[in-house]
Amino acid sequence: MLKFAKYLYHKTAVGKYMIDIILNVHRYYRINFIEEKKFVKQKFKKRFKKELDLENPKSLNEKMQWLKLYDRTPLHTICADKFKVRDYVTEKIGPQYLIDLVFQSYNANDVIPSNFPDFPFIIKANHDSSGGIIVKNKDDINWKSLPKHFKKLLRKNYYKSGKEWQYKNIEPCIIGEKLLINTNGELPMDYKIHCFHGKVEVIQVDIDRFTNHKRNFYDQSWNLLPFSWSLWKDGQPLWNTGRALEKPKNLDEMISVAEKLSEVFKYVRIDLYDFENKIYFGEVTFHHGSGMETIFPEEWNYKLGDLLNLKEV
C-alpha cells in the first residue's frame, strides 16, 4: 500500500494533489489538536527513532524537550520577542549592544519605502525564525509584495510547529534594524553562544552559509570541540566541522555579555555579532534546533546533557 501511495505521489499529478491534501489535514490536526506532551514525544521518536524519556532525561536533546514543556516564565516570552527583548538587553548589559532600530509596526501595510532609511537594513517579524529580508538598496526591492508577505507571517503562531511555549503569547509585529555590513558588502561573523546555568560552555560559529555551510564548536578557550550538532542527510551531518577560525579579539567581552544575559536561565543560546571591533546583540534562542538536531558522536549529547541540571532553580 505504501509503495502504491509513493508511486501515485511521485508519478501522477492527481495522486500528488490528493495525498498533499491528506498530509496537510493530518498536519493541521497534529499541530492544533494533539496534546503538547504527546506531540513532543511523537516528534522526538520520529526524529531519533527512540522513545523520549521525560521522567529521567539524560541527553541534551531529551532535556531540551523537558525544558519546552516545563520551563516556562513570562521572561521567556519577552526574550523570544525580537522587539521586547531590547528592553531586557538594555537593563542587563546596556543599550550600546543593541543594533539600531529603524522601524516597528503591527500593521503590514506600513511596510512601504518611505518608512525606511536610505542605508542598508533588514526587515523581519519579531515572533518567528524566518530570518528576515535584507535590503541593501531600496530600489532593488519589490515593495508591493512585502505587505502580503508580512501579513502571512503575522498570522502565524510559531509555537504550533514545535510546541516551544515562549513563542505562543508574543504579540506579532514587524521590525526593521540597521544592517551590519562593511564597505566590502560583507556581513559580520555570527557567534551562537550556548550557556548552561549562566556559564558559557559552547561557542558555535557557522561558516560559509551561502556556499559550503559548515559549523564549528569551540570552548571558552577557543579549543575546537570534537562533535557536530546538525541535521543529517544520507547518513551525514549537513553542517560538519569546517576550516579553522582565528580566535575573536573580543572573545572575553562576548563571554561576559552572554553570561550576563543568560544568568537567570537553565539553558539558552545567546547570539552575538562581532562587527568592526564592537559586539552587538542578535537574539535569544531557548531550544537550539528545537532540540531535534543530532549531536554526534552521541557521547557528546550526554556530556552536554550533564551540564544541564533540571532541578536547579
Side-chain angles (χ1 to χ4, degrees):
M1 186 65 181
L2 182 59
K3 285 185 177 180
F4 181 63
K6 287 182 177 179
Y7 172 82
L8 291 177
Y9 186 83
H10 293 291
K11 300 296 183 180
T12 69
V14 173
K16 184 179 186 304
Y17 176 77
M18 296 301 295
I19 292 173
D20 277 340
I21 290 177
I22 295 170
L23 292 174
N24 286 334
V25 169
H26 179 258
R27 183 174 181 272
Y28 181 83
Y29 170 77
R30 287 189 70 252
I31 287 175
N32 291 281
F33 297 105
I34 292 182
E35 183 266 333
E36 283 181 330
K37 187 174 177 181
K38 183 177 180 181
F39 180 96
V40 169
K41 281 190 166 186
Q42 286 182 349
K43 193 165 185 179
F44 185 91
K45 185 175 181 178
K46 182 178 181 182
R47 178 68 184 83
F48 295 112
K49 313 302 180 190
K50 61 182 179 181
E51 299 291 341
L52 170 61
D53 184 357
L54 289 171
E55 300 304 318
N56 187 29
K58 294 181 178 179
S59 72
L60 181 56
N61 280 327
E62 283 185 314
K63 289 185 176 183
M64 276 202 200
Q65 309 314 313
W66 189 96
L67 291 175
K68 280 185 195 178
L69 295 168
Y70 304 119
D71 188 33
R72 300 174 170 185
T73 70
L75 186 57
H76 282 74
T77 297
I78 290 171
C79 288
D81 184 328
K82 294 180 179 67
F83 177 54
K84 290 187 177 179
V85 71
R86 297 174 65 88
D87 291 335
Y88 176 75
V89 172
T90 298
E91 177 187 342
K92 297 292 287 187
I93 57 175
Q96 67 272 22
Y97 290 100
L98 291 172
I99 300 172
D100 290 345
L101 188 72
V102 299
F103 174 84
Q104 189 271 331
S105 177
Y106 296 95
N107 186 347
N109 290 325
D110 289 338
V111 182
I112 57 177
S114 59
N115 284 335
F116 290 87
D118 292 326
F119 52 78
F121 55 90
I122 183 170
I123 319 173
K124 55 189 175 183
N126 69 321
H127 68 302
D128 69 359
S129 61
S130 60
I133 296 172
I134 291 175
V135 181
K136 296 180 180 179
N137 187 327
K138 286 166 65 173
D139 295 334
D140 296 334
I141 298 299
N142 179 6
W143 288 94
K144 290 184 179 180
S145 68
L146 293 191
K148 182 178 179 180
H149 169 77
F150 281 105
K151 282 178 184 177
K152 184 177 180 180
L153 279 184
L154 293 182
R155 289 194 298 266
K156 180 180 178 181
N157 190 322
Y158 194 62
Y159 154 80
K160 291 183 177 181
S161 62
K163 305 307 179 190
E164 296 182 69
W165 176 87
Q166 65 271 19
Y167 297 109
K168 186 175 184 178
N169 300 311
I170 295 175
E171 183 179 7
C173 74
I174 307 157
I175 61 174
E177 293 178 338
K178 181 179 179 180
L179 185 65
L180 301 181
I181 188 169
N182 64 22
T183 54
N184 295 322
E186 298 169 332
L187 299 175
M189 192 69 80
D190 180 9
Y191 297 90
K192 301 181 185 299
I193 304 179
H194 299 259
C195 304
F196 295 75
H197 303 287
K199 181 182 177 183
V200 171
E201 297 286 358
V202 176
I203 303 168
Q204 169 188 335
V205 190
D206 288 85
I207 313 162
D208 305 326
R209 299 187 70 163
F210 303 106
T211 53
N212 184 28
H213 190 175
K214 300 294 182 181
R215 181 179 282 180
N216 290 2
F217 293 94
Y218 297 90
D219 64 14
Q220 277 205 27
S221 300
W222 207 248
N223 298 306
L224 186 66
L225 296 171
F227 67 86
S228 63
W229 193 349
S230 172
L231 293 175
W232 278 48
K233 183 178 181 181
D234 299 328
Q236 296 290 330
L238 288 178
W239 315 305
N240 214 335
T241 303
R243 57 186 167 82
L245 297 174
E246 185 179 346
K247 180 179 177 180
K249 294 179 181 178
N250 291 331
L251 180 61
D252 289 343
E253 183 182 3
M254 283 194 283
I255 290 172
S256 175
V257 165
E259 292 189 338
K260 288 176 183 176
L261 292 175
S262 68
E263 62 185 358
V264 296
F265 301 112
K266 290 180 174 65
Y267 164 82
V268 68
R269 196 191 80 203
I270 305 294
D271 293 3
L272 302 174
Y273 298 105
D274 184 4
F275 180 67
E276 296 182 342
N277 295 317
K278 185 176 178 182
I279 303 302
Y280 290 93
F281 169 78
E283 63 181 71
V284 170
T285 298
F286 288 106
H287 314 112
H288 172 73
S290 197
M292 295 292 176
E293 294 183 1
T294 299
I295 301 172
F296 182 83
E298 191 174 15
E299 65 186 85
W300 275 91
N301 199 1
Y302 291 92
K303 285 183 179 181
L304 295 175
D306 287 342
L307 299 174
L308 179 53
N309 182 1
L310 299 179
K311 295 180 181 179
E312 185 173 313
V313 178

